[in-house]
Amino acid sequence: MANDASAVSDAISRNLGALTDPFTPPADSTLWRKNFLLGAATASYQIEGAVDEDGRLPSIWDTFSATPGKVLAGDTGAVACDHYHRWEADVEMLASLGLEGYRLSIAWPRVMDAAGLPNRKGLDFYKRLLNRLKEKGITTSVTVYHWDLPQHLEDRGGWLNRDTAYRFADYADLMSRELAGTVDAWATLNEPWCSAYLGYGNGHHAPGLADGRFATQAMHHLLLAHGLAMPVLRANDPTSQKGIVANIGRGTANSDSAADQRAAHLFEVQHNAWILDPLLKGAYPQDLFELWPGTEPLVLDGDMQTISAPLDFLGINYYFRTNVASDGAHGFRDVQLEGVERTQMGWEVYPDGLRDLLTGFKRTYHNLPPIYITENGMASDDKVIDGHVDDTQRISFLKRHLAAVDQAIKAGVDIRGYFLWSLMDNFEWAFGYERRFGVVHIDYSTQKRTVKRSAELVAKFLKERKARV
């Protein structure tokens, strides 16, 4: 793998000098400041592979993706990007691009056995990875849970079982004791909305259950797990930052009618306030239960105080907006706009939504912590042509969304960094390997990495910014 790493590094160096640049922010952009972190993100199940090696147990995504009809083309994460075996070259590639931060997640089934005891081989993988990242001077951001729940816990109810929140706290305890000193920022959960709603509400994601009451109860136990883990992380690794990552969605009304305006409000309640209100206000938004009547979760005394403990940072993932109209009852329906730019996912490209949401959160939550954009990016049907990937739409997408971040900072929002999603093409959950989000192209038949032009331009900007200091 060392030769692979050297080849990637040499190729990046050769290409940087010859680039024309439609990416670099204007001179007055706050993104030029040296303390604005610019990095890339991945997730364990999406890149690691090696699902049966070194004591790793099955996860809900192993089970789900092996179920016919659940994942496009029958794809699974069994091999993915083979990062478990190629991590050294991948770290070298990350460093060669000059990326300042790396956000990764730990695979819960890789590091603990069914009795809750540590799996040393799995832990050693993350120790080697994190230590190498620190040697390279790369800021490490670790997500404790990015959706790959051990299957044995799902067999006992998964996130519908309150006990899973306590098992998560045990897991966070082990991780923060074992990895203390190698992690700059801990995020307890990635996108609890997706885990709760897509996993238990509509069945699009693992474990594939579909019931509104399941979704709200799963969300409560996910947020409780976050709250239980926070003091453990603080005690075991006091010098690191601690927070959580939420995906947010911009909802706009299809007309000026009161009904459609209410529909857009309810969309954002369901997508944003469902998570942020408990964390930052200590209560669920009551409008949520207007949208989903009869789905109130079982909340025990003290739960909301546990959930709403102070955060050092809030991670924000943003991808698109949704245009909605009233469904004529208690909710909303999507209305597709014509003539708008869309990505390979079919999602509308709407940078203003990121700015509008961030500035809105600053008005709504007076205790809003510092923010990192922990995921932002787009899927495109990228091809390697003559050894290059010219991902023009992604370059434009990134520039416009970074401009939206700059606008939010200038409006007073405390945003301290931005992570590209994703470092490399990977297993895109229910869409398998068809959708490519990476700034590095993966040939899944050979595992060859090809740095896309977007990554080269980001590297060029970072090199110029460093030279200014």
Side-chain angles (χ1 to χ4, degrees), residues 31-33 36 100 461-468:
L31 307 182
W32 285 103
R33 67 188 194 197
F36 184 87
E100 300 162 329
F461 162 63
L462 287 168
K463 187 174 182 180
E464 291 174 358
R465 188 174 74 171
K466 188 175 182 180
R468 287 189 177 195

Side-chain angles (χ1 to χ4, degrees), residues 3 14 41 64 104 157 166 172 187 192 197 210 256 258 307-308 330-331 369 447:
N3 289 337
R14 285 196 304 273
F64 188 77
L104 64 131
Y166 296 94
Y197 184 71
D256 292 333
I307 289 168
S308 60
H330 298 289
Q447 292 296 335

Side-chain angles (χ1 to χ4, degrees), residues 15-16 38-39 58 74 181 241 246 267 283 318 323 344 361 381 392 427 458:
N15 290 339
L16 285 184
L38 190 55
Q241 297 288 295
F267 173 89
Y318 174 82
N323 187 64
Q344 187 190 19
F361 294 157
D381 186 17
T392 304
F427 177 80
V458 170

Side-chain angles (χ1 to χ4, degrees), residues 189-252:
L189 307 175
N190 177 76
E191 298 184 349
W193 185 93
C194 291
S195 295
Y197 184 71
L198 299 181
Y200 293 86
N202 73 2
H204 184 63
H205 280 185
L209 303 181
D211 186 295
R213 181 77 160 82
F214 289 173
T216 55
Q217 193 63 61
M219 175 65 82
H220 183 67
H221 292 155
L222 282 154
L223 294 178
L224 179 63
H226 155 78
L228 293 169
M230 285 293 280
V232 172
L233 295 171
R234 291 195 186 284
N236 291 342
D237 197 7
T239 62
S240 62
Q241 297 288 295
K242 290 87 181 174
I244 189 172
V245 171
N247 58 305
I248 60 170
R250 180 72 171 114
T252 55

